[in-house]
Structure formats: structure tokens, C-alpha cells
Amino acid sequence: MLCQECSKRQASVHFTKIVNGEKMELKLCEVCAKERGDLDLGHGEHFSFHKLLAGLLDIDELQVIGEKVIEKVTCKNCGLTEQVFVNSGRLGCSTCYETFGFKLNPLLKRIQGGTAHVGKVPVRAGGKIRIKREMQNLRDKLNLCIAKENFEQAAIIRDEIRQLEKETERGGS
Amino acid sequence: MSLDNFIKKHASNWMKEGKGEYSDIVISSRIRLARNIDNIPFPQLADQNQQKQVEKMVSETIDNKDHYRFLLMSSLSYEDRLTLVEKHLISPTLINESKYSGVWLNNEETVSIMINEEDHIRIQVVLPSLNLEEGLQVADEIDNLIESKLEYGFDEQKGYLTACPTNLGTGLRASVMVHLPALVLTKQINRVLTAVSQLGLAVRGIYGEGSESLGNILQISNQVTLGQSETEIIDNLRRVSKQIIDHELNSRKYLMEENKVALLDKVYRAYGILSNAYTITSKEALELLSYVKLGVDLELLDGINPHFFKELIVITRPGFLQKLYGQQLSSEVRDIKRAEVIREVLQKK
């Protein structure tokens, strides 16, 4: 049969795409198939893999949560735009994980077994994580003391929190 | 240079060492950790200055520089870079990366610290036979050393932050390269592969992602990097690999007991072609070498150097052949030279 795109050349590539359970079939000639860029013919497996990954991302033009329209996001640190991110499926820097977290989390559920890291923690960050957890603990205690009107104890805890804050500012671990 | 000297000089440890667990079936075990420096854009998005900065920052963390040498990709010829890929010392991706992409290689050629690949840092350890535990231990020590001097991109929930979400978490890709000719001959291989993929593992060809499975050699690696610890990942891979090895051994036994004539025919035809051919393609060579190796493992063929297979699957690749002959060779000439090298190795008694 003839190519469904150009209606001139013989169709040699049969292409099936399934988006949200809807099946779309296309029969194209090699030239049109290459031009569409939806599929990679033979070369650059890596590239098509990222395309595939990107295809798992939600690429709505506008994201609506409740009544609020979320504007397109750009990473403050590296300048990666949402458009580039959804096209490539790759992040630009470590900050991108915060910036695009809302898009990424559903993807992680699909491609990874879990969404929470349980492996190695670097010593430096590990120190920070410990301090962060301790601070949260102290804040909880502080609130409890204030609620009980135990201001003397609250003042001690407040000082401990300040001390820890100073340590984190110094980059301590 | 004689072929013997060439092999001595250019073979990596995993190609030369034949001892270790399941060393006749498991060619090598590999551990790879992906790491990035906090706040600096990942290589794909970083500008030249930032890439240069990353190269400098990582290079400064390498302590015992006597044990390492640094190779900057842009200062190497294409053939030399190809040779590094063929020896599995760098990833095919690194070849095409930026001006400041490079690798720190240890003298034994078991450790590669790649800089400005898809991620800023990729620590890779390759060891002969089934030995994921030692690989992880070595990689872990290097990781700790680098991390003591650099701030990594890390998140409590998401773990090590990587350019591609498929590496997020541990950043660990562990893999074993296995030679499974009997599973192919007994047509069991597809059933095994389907089962493997259902266990969260991936099966790839000899040169990683997107490469063909040649010479009955496959790489089995973990797929998931988030939600499992490093030890869980390698333990899972090890257990599955062991079962595949057992299947391969059973299939070999079956062939020896129930189908010996067909097996002898396959092995000796392969040996006959390889020791007499005057031109051979890389694909055909790998396929036939696989059956000669099977013959050696089953003691149907003797007098062949036990390391011949691991050496030849690397030396007969295009980059290596050109290095051996010290010049660029057209693919027709390569086919002739490849046949020559194989004849020489197989004739040695």
C-alpha cells in the first residue's frame, strides 16, 4: 500500500503507537517515517530510548490543578525548560529534580520499582540529613513545650535549634 | 610487535585472568556508579567552562595518581577511543561527548572514572568472572574518596541525582557478561530471557544498551535503581546469574549426552573455518569463536590457550585490529587481517 503521509511512495514501515490505551496505526514510507522522527530507524538507540521515556511524561500544554493553571516551569539553576525536559526525558542539573518533581514523580513510579531511595547515603549529605531530622525533632518538641507553656524548656530547645542552624550554615556535617 | 607481545601489552585484566567463580561462563562482572556534582548543570547542558570545571574538580580528587593515567577524549584518535570501548574501559557514549570528556584509568585497567559522560562522574569497575561483591567494594571506596572532596547532588528521597531518571537512586548499574552457547543451541535462550526480564533485570548485547547480541554473549544487568539498596541489587543479579549458569551447564550436559554428534559437528566446523579462513567478518568470527570456546570448555578441543576467547573477542574488533597493524584499515582489509590473527592464535599449541 501507499504511504499514508505522502501518498506517493510505497509504505514500508508499519508504526503502532499506543497513547493512554488508544491505539494508532500508521503505514509510512521510510522517508516520511524518518521525517516524523517518531521512530528511529536502526541508528541511535539511545536517542529513541529517551524519546520513549519522554513519551511517558505528561505533555499537556497546560497543567490544571483545581482551578489554577500552572505556568510552564523553568529550572532556576540550569535554565532547562519544561518543553526541553518533556522532549528529552533528561534532567539538566540536580536542582531540576525539585523544579520538575511534579512531572517526574508519576514517571518514577512507572520506570522504577519504588520512589524512595533506600541505598547508600553520602557522608556529607548524610550529616545534613541527620541534622535536618534532628531539627525537625527539636521543633516538634519546642511546639509541645509552648503548648504546655513550659517556656523555660522551650528556650533551651530554641537555643539548640539555633546552634544546629549555625552548623548547617557553616556546611558542617 | 608479535601477536603475543601485543596481547600481553594491550589485554586488560579481565581478559587475561581466567580464575574465579564460573570463569568459563562468566566473562566479566561490572559495577557502575553514576554521580553528579551539586548545582552544576549535567554534561549535556553544561557549557565548556562548566565542563572544564567539572574535569578539574574530579581530577583533583584522584589521590594516588601513580596508579592512574588520565586520557582526554579530544586528545585521542578515533581508533584509540574505539579501542577503549572494545576493551569495555569506557562507554560508547563517552566517545562522542564534549571536549572535556575523559577517563582516569588505573594501571590494572580494572577501574575507570569517566568524566563528563551522561553524568559528571561514572565510576566503573570491571573484574573477571562472577565477582560483583568485590567490584562494588572497590567502586564504593573510590566513591567515598571523591565524595569526601566534592558535594554530590543527592536527595533524601530520590538518592543520587542523575541526568536520566533511569539511574536515579543508587546510580548503580551492575552487570555480568555471560557466554551461553548451549542455551542457544538447545533453543532455551528465549525462555530464559523472558524470565529474566520479569525479574527487573535487563538483557543486552555485548557492548551495552542497543547493541546486538553477538557470539552468544549477553549482558545481564539490573533495571531498577530506586527503592532497592546496592547489596539487594547485586544479590538479586547474582542469584539470577547463578540460575542461568546452571541452566547453561545442564544444557551442555544434555548436548554431550544426547546430542554429541551434532555438538561435535558444530564445534569442529567452527574450528575448521576459523583455522582455515582467509577472510572473515566480525560477526561470523564471534559466532564461530563461541562454538570453539564451547568445545574447549567441554574438553572436545585441546591445546588452545584458555584465554583465547576473551582475547580474541576484543582483538578482532575493528579498533583493536587497526591498533595491532598500526594503520587505518578498510573493512575488506580488516576481514583479511582478522582471519590472520585468529589463525595465528588457534594454531598455537
Side-chain angles (χ1 to χ4, degrees), chain B residues 105-123:
Chain B
L105 276 183
N106 72 340
N107 294 340
E108 294 81 29
E109 298 193 342
T110 48
V111 175
S112 316
I113 303 163
M114 287 173 256
I115 304 175
N116 288 320
E117 206 245 23
E118 185 180 278
D119 294 294
H120 292 148
I121 306 164
R122 289 211 164 175
I123 303 164

Side-chain angles (χ1 to χ4, degrees), chain B residues 167-218:
Chain B
N167 293 314
L168 195 66
T170 56
L172 168 66
R173 190 81 60 211
S175 64
V176 288
M177 207 199 302
V178 281
H179 177 229
L180 307 170
L183 283 175
V184 175
L185 284 176
T186 54
K187 300 191 166 50
Q188 301 276 308
I189 193 78
N190 285 336
R191 277 164 64 187
V192 173
L193 299 187
T194 311
V196 167
S197 61
Q198 283 166 347
L199 289 166
L201 299 171
V203 183
R204 291 170 174 159
I206 180 166
Y207 291 99
E209 200 173 287
S211 66
E212 255 185 296
S213 95
L214 294 169
N216 305 321
I217 298 168
L218 291 165

Side-chain angles (χ1 to χ4, degrees), chain A residues 51 54 57-62 71-75 79-90 100 102-103:
Chain A
K51 278 250 171 201
L57 285 160
D58 188 6
I59 46 167
D60 289 344
E61 276 301 298
L62 290 168
E71 284 176 22
K72 293 248 159 156
V73 188
T74 303
C75 178
L80 186 80
T81 63
E82 192 178 327
Q83 203 55 51
V84 174
F85 169 55
V86 294
N87 283 339
S88 72
R90 280 204 266 186
F100 300 106
F102 69 101
K103 290 246 161 184

Side-chain angles (χ1 to χ4, degrees), chain B residues 41-54:
Chain B
F42 299 143
Q44 204 195 8
L45 218 70
D47 60 34
Q48 293 261 311
N49 278 335
Q50 287 163 324
Q51 291 185 5
K52 194 177 170 185
Q53 187 192 354
V54 168

